[in-house]
Amino acid sequence: MMKMKLKAVNLVNIKRVLVSTMLWLVIACAVLLVAPQHVLETLSLSALVSDYGHFIGLGLIVGAAFFLSQLFTFVVDETIGILKEKRAVETIEAKVKLLDPAERALLREFFLQGATILALPQNELAVKGLVDSNILELVGNERHYAIQGPTAEYKISMKARLYLNREVLRLPAGEPSKEELNHLIKARPQFVNGLVQSRKHAA
């Protein structure tokens, strides 16, 4: 993990140096090409521009092409990001309409336990389905158990929270009665009951 962070930092630093170098190249070449003749003569640069003007022009073209490519890359990345966001929202909207009982019960756990993050088994179909549909997001803290299998911490994504209300999750309006609460607890997925019991024993 630390190596990946160091590589990322190095790449950022290299890109920063490259952008800075290309910027100075463009500025220097542009100034030399557009500066008045008397200014160049005063700075003793007239002969340099006369002898190497084609190289200076080439440097300006290369620098300008670099920044145009950076602009193009930025526009493409932004467009891809917008399309991904749109597709993610469409996936969430479609999934919310087709939640199966296990997935709905799993999402209710966040409300029943009053938690923003829950440790859940990664191999459960309900968990996988909600992650694939962008409703759940992996937070981290992955753990591997010989019997229970791998678990990790998840949260409901910000985009999905707009679509998950009491009606969708079939939660009672207001404070649930004792009978309604017992019904919700009985509807819990089996693996959630196991995790709740494990936390009680650990406490």
Side-chain angles (χ1 to χ4, degrees):
M1 191 70 177
M2 185 61 70
K3 288 183 178 179
M4 289 178 66
K5 287 183 179 179
L6 288 174
K7 285 182 180 178
V9 171
N10 288 335
L11 286 173
V12 170
N13 289 336
I14 291 171
K15 187 173 181 180
R16 188 176 296 167
V17 170
L18 179 60
V19 170
S20 179
T21 302
M22 296 304 288
L23 179 61
W24 280 111
L25 175 66
V26 170
I27 292 172
C29 291
V31 168
L32 289 173
L33 290 175
V34 303
Q37 188 64 30
H38 68 277
V39 173
L40 294 175
E41 289 175 355
T42 303
L43 298 173
S44 301
L45 294 174
S46 180
L48 176 69
V49 174
S50 177
D51 294 340
Y52 299 100
H54 52 292
F55 289 114
I56 296 171
L58 181 62
L60 180 61
I61 292 171
V62 170
F66 171 80
F67 284 107
L68 284 174
S69 70
Q70 291 295 302
L71 177 61
F72 177 76
T73 302
F74 173 78
V75 172
V76 170
D77 288 344
E78 286 295 307
T79 304
I80 291 173
I82 292 170
L83 290 174
K84 282 184 177 179
E85 286 287 317
K86 185 179 179 181
R87 182 167 293 181
V89 170
E90 289 174 350
T91 303
I92 290 170
E93 289 177 344
K95 183 64 175 178
V96 165
K97 295 176 183 176
L98 300 171
L99 288 172
D100 64 34
E103 291 168 341
R104 186 175 281 108
L106 173 55
L107 291 171
R108 279 200 299 261
E109 280 302 307
F110 287 91
F111 295 89
L112 291 175
Q113 297 188 37
T116 55
I117 296 174
L118 288 180
L120 302 169
Q122 292 180 289
N123 294 334
E124 282 294 330
L125 290 177
V127 176
K128 288 182 177 179
L130 293 172
V131 171
D132 292 341
S133 57
N134 303 303
I135 293 178
L136 285 185
E137 287 182 358
L138 176 65
V139 177
N141 199 18
E142 299 182 43
R143 296 179 180 178
H144 296 267
Y145 301 97
I147 299 175
Q148 193 179 28
T151 66
E153 292 184 343
Y154 294 88
K155 68 175 183 178
I156 297 175
S157 68
M158 293 300 295
K159 291 186 286 290
R161 292 180 190 184
L162 299 173
Y163 301 92
L164 298 176
N165 51 42
R166 289 181 176 272
E167 184 180 353
V168 169
L169 299 180
R170 296 179 185 172
L171 286 165
E175 192 70 23
S177 64
K178 187 176 181 181
E179 184 179 347
E180 289 172 329
L181 190 58
N182 287 334
H183 175 74
L184 292 172
I185 292 173
K186 286 180 181 178
R188 272 177 164 169
Q190 190 60 42
F191 66 84
V192 170
N193 283 323
L195 290 172
V196 172
Q197 291 298 324
S198 297
R199 282 195 292 272
K200 285 181 179 178
H201 289 313

